[in-house]
Amino acid sequence: MAGNWFPIAQLTSSGRPIFQPGEVESNLLSSIDIESEENPNFPVFKSGVLILTTHRIIWIDESKNNNSSSSSSTSSASAISIPLGAVTHIFSPKKSIKSMFASPRIRFQVSVSTAGKVEEKGSRSMVITLVFRGSKSDPDTFVTKFWEAWRARSWEVLSSEKSDSNEKNFGSVESSSGLRMAGVSGILRKEQETWESTDKSLQDAFQDLNALMGKAKEMVMLAEKMRLKLLSGPTGQPSTTDEEMGSKQDMQDWLLSVGIASPVTKESAGALYHQQLSRQLADFVKIPLERAGGMTALIDVYCLFNRARGTELISPEDLLQACAIWAKFDVPVMLRKFDSGVMVIQNKSHSDEEVFARIMALVLKPEALRLGVSASDAAMTLGIAPALAKEHLLTAETKGLLCRDVSAEGFRFYINLFKEIDLNDIHLYVTNPVETVWYVIVHIHRLLKLT
């Protein structure tokens, strides 16, 4: 029903809107209704979250968003958008005695198609009213930012850049000097000018801190384009060496950590700061968790997230509160605390049984049966940090799978053979392949010492 009146806004699995290239969040409000007083057939949009960006007004139905099933992604029908390009007029708020006792309202006019759907350059017009139900809403600030975003017309800048790039002929390229160069030489010349412009942008950005902050958005978009180009790779080229592939992967990691295009801030989100920060964090940790095998230490996430946010740093308390809110939302990640107090972020699909199986395969190796397994050994096998590997080993010990030896060299973990002892005859061990291998290795080790 909503799709018949407004364009549908796509959401991430955590309920955050998927922004368009160059789109930045400006303001966020809760408990907002959308009405159309002149149209009796207009559907009901009650008590949603309103996000103002440089390109759109996005309205998210929080009731559908929070109650969505965990097995499926967030329904896109729970979010709609109003392109700022479709807005033709913003009415000034009316000041009257009646308005003092009623919910604040902001009215603006949009262009619609003949079918009544909001779109740019529509043949008809319709007046839309935003009703501010929340007690903490600030209509005056919203109107100011609404006017600024509408007058800036950032969406037109992006559209003009796309149209300019589409109008360029593939076989004929015009250089910055005004000479028109055709064929392969023209393409190569244009590529060289592009990289020279990129190099100049990088040099200007790193002149001082003010220039860096001013060009931060441009640098993030540039880094994303370079990362996508690295991912696609050159076609028709011979296979690269391992060293080149390693350098390429390192470059992708650096570019991936450059920044978040539109970080959630207290200024833009207001009272919904921790809620929206929690959703953005859930989207952000997906890639680090995939690389770390489904579990990452909380301190590592704190460093990665703050590095990606640039100058909009968050405190450890904000991070903890954002992680705690995940229990209320349908997100694929969770906060976990081990018995030792170590806190990690892991996927909900992460299975300890799979980790225990890999640990058991490690401790049953002949060398591990003789010398045991350290946290570093487990870390190399599991592909995680030694601190997390130690927590997994300790958890396996509490399950009765391992036993521990503490010495000056640290912790060493062995296969637990105590549970194989026959309580009816403590001098007789139950014969099994594990014990047989262990006895043979210990016997050989003693013979080597005697010789």
Side-chain angles (χ1 to χ4, degrees):
M1 183 65 179
N4 298 332
W5 295 86
F6 299 100
I8 297 299
Q10 299 297 325
L11 303 178
T12 64
S13 58
S14 64
R16 286 279 298 169
I18 299 177
F19 294 112
Q20 301 173 359
E23 186 177 15
V24 179
E25 181 180 324
S26 301
N27 199 359
L28 191 147
L29 298 169
S30 62
S31 302
I32 304 297
D33 299 348
I34 299 181
E35 300 177 353
S36 179
E37 300 172 356
E38 61 184 24
N39 195 332
N41 298 323
F42 194 78
V44 178
F45 298 97
K46 293 290 185 180
S47 190
V49 173
L50 190 75
I51 301 177
L52 173 66
T53 72
T54 54
H55 293 50
R56 299 175 291 172
I57 293 177
I58 303 174
W59 185 88
I60 303 174
D61 188 348
E62 280 292 279
S63 60
K64 293 183 180 179
N65 195 12
N66 292 335
N67 297 329
S68 58
S69 173
S70 59
S71 60
S72 61
S73 59
T74 305
S75 173
S76 60
S78 62
I80 61 172
S81 65
I82 304 175
L84 294 187
V87 178
T88 58
H89 183 71
I90 301 176
F91 298 95
S92 300
K94 295 181 178 179
K95 300 293 183 180
S96 63
I97 297 177
K98 182 180 179 181
S99 63
M100 295 174 60
F101 301 96
S103 299
R105 296 171 178 262
I106 302 298
R107 299 169 64 247
F108 57 93
Q109 184 174 287
V110 296
S111 60
V112 297
S113 63
T114 54
K117 185 174 182 177
V118 175
E119 63 178 18
E120 297 185 29
K121 299 179 181 179
S123 57
R124 298 165 49 196
S125 63
M126 177 176 64
V127 176
I128 293 178
T129 304
L130 301 179
V131 184
F132 295 75
R133 302 291 186 187
S135 58
K136 297 182 179 180
S137 300
D138 189 355
D140 295 334
T141 302
F142 175 81
V143 171
T144 302
K145 293 186 177 182
F146 190 11
W147 273 99
E148 292 175 354
W150 185 52
R151 289 171 175 169
R153 311 192 77 80
S154 301
W155 64 91
E156 292 184 351
V157 176
L158 184 64
S159 301
S160 62
E161 290 178 355
K162 288 184 178 179
S163 61
D164 291 343
S165 61
N166 292 334
E167 290 175 358
K168 292 179 181 177
N169 191 351
F170 178 77
S172 179
V173 180
E174 184 176 355
S175 65
S176 59
S177 59
L179 299 177
R180 198 167 183 81
M181 306 178 66
V184 178
S185 60
I187 297 174
L188 294 176
R189 175 61 181 172
K190 186 61 181 177
E191 189 73 11
Q192 181 180 355
E193 291 179 358
T194 301
W195 283 108
E196 288 176 355
S197 176
T198 300
D199 182 64
K200 185 177 183 302
S201 297
L202 290 172
Q203 290 179 0
D204 293 341
F206 285 94
Q207 287 295 327
D208 51 37
L209 182 60
N210 291 331
L212 177 61
M213 294 177 64
K215 289 182 175 286
K217 178 182 174 182
E218 180 182 349
M219 292 300 103
V220 170
M221 297 178 63
L222 177 62
E224 182 65 18
K225 291 180 181 178
M226 294 173 65
R227 186 179 70 86
L228 294 176
K229 191 169 185 178
L230 284 173
L231 288 174
S232 61
T235 56
Q237 296 286 340
S239 58
T240 56
T241 63
D242 293 340
E243 183 178 355
E244 291 175 346
M245 288 298 294
S247 300
K248 188 175 180 180
Q249 182 63 38
D250 291 341
M251 180 62 71
Q252 292 177 14
D253 294 340
W254 294 335
L255 295 177
L256 189 63
S257 63
V258 166
I260 299 174
S262 182
V264 175
T265 63
K266 291 183 178 180
E267 181 182 0
S268 62
L272 298 178
Y273 170 65
H274 288 102
Q275 181 191 113
Q276 295 300 316
L277 181 67
S278 176
R279 295 185 185 276
Q280 189 173 68
L281 179 62
D283 292 330
F284 174 80
V285 297
K286 288 181 180 179
I287 295 179
L289 286 178
E290 289 177 0
R291 295 180 176 179
M295 179 181 294
T296 306
L298 186 63
I299 184 63
D300 294 337
V301 173
Y302 176 74
C303 296
L304 291 172
F305 194 51
N306 264 337
R307 182 170 63 176
R309 288 176 63 88
T311 57
E312 300 293 343
L313 304 179
I314 64 172
S315 66
E317 291 77 11
D318 288 338
L319 182 70
L320 275 176
Q321 192 166 347
C323 293
I325 299 177
W326 283 341
K328 302 178 181 179
F329 298 145
D330 175 31
V331 293
V333 294
M334 60 179 289
L335 179 66
R336 177 181 178 182
K337 186 175 182 180
F338 287 99
D339 294 337
S340 62
V342 175
M343 303 181 73
V344 298
I345 293 176
Q346 71 174 43
N347 288 324
K348 288 183 177 179
S349 59
H350 179 80
S351 173
D352 285 345
E353 301 302 326
E354 296 179 3
V355 177
F356 293 157
R358 296 175 65 183
I359 291 177
M360 293 301 295
L362 174 64
V363 297
L364 289 176
K365 292 182 178 180
E367 187 71 15
L369 288 171
R370 184 171 64 90
L371 300 177
V373 173
S374 66
S376 299
D377 298 332
M380 294 178 63
T381 301
L382 300 176
I384 59 178
L388 293 183
K390 181 180 178 181
E391 296 299 329
H392 284 303
L393 291 172
L394 291 174
T395 305
E397 181 191 17
T398 60
K399 298 290 184 180
L401 302 176
L402 304 177
C403 58
R404 180 192 350 157
D405 176 48
V406 183
S407 65
E409 298 178 357
F411 288 5
R412 307 290 297 187
F413 292 86
Y414 298 84
I415 184 69
N416 184 13
L417 297 178
F418 292 102
K419 61 182 180 180
E420 304 295 339
I421 297 176
D422 188 355
L423 296 179
N424 297 322
D425 187 357
I426 62 174
H427 300 287
L428 178 65
Y429 289 91
V430 178
T431 304
N432 61 45
V434 175
E435 293 176 13
T436 303
V437 174
W438 187 75
Y439 289 141
V440 170
I441 290 175
V442 171
H443 184 64
I444 295 175
H445 182 61
R446 289 175 179 175
L447 290 178
L448 292 175
K449 280 188 173 182
L450 293 176
T451 55

